[in-house]
Amino acid sequence: MNYQDLFSRLWNEYALQNPSAKKIYNLFSYEGETIENDHIAFRTFNDNRINIPVISKAFEKIGYIPKGEYFFEEKKLRAIHLENNIVENSPRVFISELELEKCSAFVQDTINNVLNSMRLEEVKKEEIIFKGNVWGKPEFAIYEKLRNESEYAAWVYVYGFRTNHFTVSINSLKKYNTIEKVNEFLKQKGFILNSSGGEIKGTPEMLLQQSSIMADIIDVEFKEGVHQIPACYYEFALRFPDADGKLYSGFHAKSADKIFESTNFYTKE
Ligand code: NI
């Protein structure tokens, strides 16, 4: 699969499952903006059957190489980001994994059971990034129990391997060229911003500012019946030039830590 096909397929599936993202994309387009994608993100567990190197494979095949590494102590996560130096203006790819050995026996056992029920031959393929949940219908009771300890674990348990978010590059926008303008526009249109740690994560001095909407609430079929839970979200990022005049290309763990919470459980009024 080539670069173009891979990203169109990821975007089409993501946009279908997350109507707010498509809606926001269209709203900016009507305003005459051309949207570039700053980065996409995947989530997984650090089990070697499906860990970061496994998820990276499809991206390495089309020219991506690992660049930065990040740690999130409280959430027990490790992440890397990859960049593609071949294709111009290609989005960064951010992949995180839950460090299972740091979790409770309940989380470890549950995730291990779930991974044991995967069909491994399916999982080895680079197609894994399109597969979603490869362990079958989730149990709502388990989802709830996982959430008590890790919203991240609960999210991956339900959704598996799919793009967790796409990101509008504010640098590509003309009229909405600050994060304040973007956030104001989104709020006017009725979207709920993730306000954990403030609506804007990061500062110009940190060379990266980010914000995001809270994930769409969608119907998910559990073994016990349909429940409404958060799915994926849309993010917004503005990058600033470093001392050499080059746009900063990394991430900040402190900001990303709060952005992760865009998929935390919430109910719409
Ligand atoms: Ni992000």
Side-chain angles (χ1 to χ4, degrees):
M1 184 173 286
N2 66 31
Y3 173 90
Q4 216 61 45
D5 292 345
L6 185 145
F7 278 97
S8 332
R9 187 168 164 194
L10 289 177
W11 169 259
N12 290 338
E13 287 176 6
Y14 164 83
L16 197 69
Q17 276 153 353
N18 302 283
S20 289
K22 185 73 185 150
K23 224 156 123 188
I24 291 169
Y25 186 94
N26 289 340
L27 284 169
F28 278 121
S29 301
Y30 294 143
E31 297 279 317
E33 299 285 13
T34 308
I35 295 168
E36 280 175 20
N37 183 13
D38 182 89
H39 67 271
I40 63 167
F42 279 82
R43 294 177 173 184
T44 190
F45 302 109
N46 71 346
D47 183 289
N48 61 18
R49 288 171 282 185
I50 46 129
N51 60 6
I52 288 176
V54 177
I55 306 296
S56 301
K57 235 170 230 165
F59 298 102
E60 284 171 351
K61 257 222 147 146
I62 54 167
Y64 276 86
I65 46 171
K67 287 278 182 177
E69 188 181 26
Y70 313 91
F71 292 93
F72 307 87
E73 208 178 313
E74 208 181 304
K75 292 187 171 65
K76 301 168 178 129
L77 303 173
R78 183 181 89 90
I80 66 160
H81 95 264
L82 301 99
E83 291 180 27
N84 187 324
N85 298 330
I86 304 163
V87 183
E88 223 177 303
N89 290 328
S90 46
R92 298 154 192 83
V93 177
F94 187 92
I95 309 173
S96 56
E97 61 186 15
L98 183 68
E99 300 176 297
L100 289 168
E101 70 282 1
K102 296 183 183 170
C103 299
S104 70
F106 166 73
V107 169
Q108 292 189 38
D109 291 347
T110 303
I111 301 308
N112 198 41
N113 285 339
V114 152
L115 298 181
N116 286 341
S117 70
M118 289 186 304
R119 285 187 295 144
L120 274 178
E121 73 276 17
E122 179 172 43
V123 171
K124 271 180 201 148
K125 295 178 189 149
E126 292 133 32
E127 288 270 301
I128 191 165
I129 57 169
F130 303 110
K131 294 287 184 195
N133 171 329
V134 286
W135 37 78
K137 208 180 270 187
E139 274 181 52
F140 191 68
I142 293 180
Y143 169 75
E144 290 269 72
K145 214 171 159 195
L146 286 172
R147 263 191 57 222
N148 283 337
E149 184 174 333
S150 166
E151 287 271 359
Y152 183 103
W155 191 92
V156 182
Y157 167 67
V158 170
Y159 295 109
F161 310 109
R162 69 180 52 189
T163 319
N164 172 266
H165 59 277
F166 274 71
T167 311
V168 173
S169 162
I170 300 176
N171 297 79
S172 72
L173 305 179
K174 292 184 187 75
K175 196 163 136 198
Y176 296 92
N177 56 356
T178 68
I179 199 159
E180 288 84 0
K181 285 182 199 169
V182 168
N183 287 353
E184 205 43 53
F185 180 69
L186 295 170
K187 284 194 278 188
Q188 266 175 23
K189 299 290 180 189
F191 294 98
I192 305 167
L193 292 179
N194 169 347
S195 57
S196 174
E199 285 174 356
I200 301 172
K201 281 80 173 165
T203 62
E205 291 72 33
M206 289 162 74
L207 308 182
L208 174 64
Q209 288 183 300
Q210 292 163 277
S211 67
S212 60
I213 57 165
M214 289 301 285
D216 275 336
I217 304 279
I218 66 165
D219 286 343
V220 172
E221 224 182 284
F222 288 90
K223 280 185 183 155
E224 299 94 325
V226 172
H227 283 270
Q228 296 195 317
I229 66 161
C232 304
Y233 60 93
Y234 211 6
E235 190 182 312
F236 310 89
L238 178 61
R239 294 180 183 276
F240 296 84
D242 61 18
D244 302 329
K246 256 186 75 185
L247 282 187
Y248 177 71
S249 194
F251 293 87
H252 293 291
K254 202 180 150 217
S255 301
D257 187 74
K258 301 294 179 209
I259 295 268
F260 275 121
E261 294 171 18
S262 306
T263 57
N264 279 14
F265 188 83
Y266 73 104
T267 45
K268 265 190 168 162
E269 288 301 303

